[in-house]
Amino acid sequence: MKHLVGKERVVGFGEIGLDLTEPEKDWHHQFQLVERLLPSVKQRHVLVVHCRGMPGDSSTAAFMLLLHRIKSVSRIQRMHLHCFTGDSYVVEKWLEAFPETYFGFTNMVEKFDRHQQEAVTRIHESRLLLETDAPYFPLPGNKWSSTNQIHRAARLVAEIRNVSVEAVLAATTEIGLRV
């Protein structure tokens, strides 16, 4: 992996992070892996961060724990919080620590509570990304999702933000190309 990540054409690094849906006995292995991988992250990379809390929560504790563990990364490192499920507090703290953080949203926003929805509305449009996380989060009646289902994530985010789907798609396309 160190050989591959050293290639100039490699622009992303990840996804790495913390998944508390895994058995608790394995959590320390996740932290060890993060600590071993972080030194390989270069400024040209977008660090793709995976963070999941325990089933039934919004992942706030998991995001804050992970944030504390990755403070060794450069403050200006670009980060993509993949499949973001946090609240406004998490958004604020990650942007304080890493101002170049981008927040990716999937169809999961359909199940967001009011605190998570508030986070979706408070994130500046220049920090929004859309994801399908294919093959996960399929549309009803489908076994898997695919990248052509991005419109649904855009529609759900647009509804929460009270803007048009076209505006969300235009902004997130521009951001995706830039990042």
Side-chain angles (χ1 to χ4, degrees), residues 3 13 19-20 22 26 29-30 35 39 48 59 74 83 85-86 89 98-99 105 113 116 124 140 154 165 171 176 178:
H3 173 72
F13 189 97
D19 191 332
L20 300 184
E22 294 296 317
D26 297 329
H29 294 298
Q30 294 178 47
E35 288 169 7
V48 181
S59 306
S74 167
C83 294
T85 59
Y89 178 77
F98 300 105
F105 294 100
D113 64 27
Q116 292 166 304
H124 192 273
V165 174
R178 186 179 68 237

Side-chain angles (χ1 to χ4, degrees), residues 23-95:
E24 187 174 349
K25 66 179 179 57
D26 297 329
W27 295 355
H28 75 282
H29 294 298
Q30 294 178 47
F31 283 125
Q32 288 174 338
L33 186 58
V34 167
E35 288 169 7
R36 284 181 48 211
L37 292 173
L38 283 180
S40 298
V41 177
K42 306 290 185 244
Q43 203 60 50
R44 73 175 188 279
H45 295 133
V46 175
L47 179 59
V48 181
V49 176
H50 173 95
C51 191
R52 286 282 169 274
M54 290 184 268
D57 76 14
S58 67
S59 306
T60 299
F63 275 110
M64 298 314 294
L65 185 56
L66 186 58
L67 178 62
H68 177 71
R69 296 286 236 176
I70 67 168
K71 291 271 184 157
S72 63
V73 174
S74 167
R75 178 171 163 69
I76 58 172
Q77 181 69 49
R78 288 176 300 154
M79 293 198 192
H80 169 193
L81 295 186
H82 162 68
C83 294
F84 185 71
T85 59
D87 58 21
S88 295
Y89 178 77
V90 172
V91 171
E92 176 187 333
K93 293 303 176 187
W94 274 79
L95 286 171

Side-chain angles (χ1 to χ4, degrees), residues 103-118:
F103 302 86
F105 294 100
T106 67
N107 295 339
M108 287 183 2
V109 299
E110 186 171 42
K111 296 179 177 153
F112 277 11
D113 64 27
R114 66 182 176 87
H115 301 290
Q116 292 166 304
Q117 288 180 5
E118 181 183 334

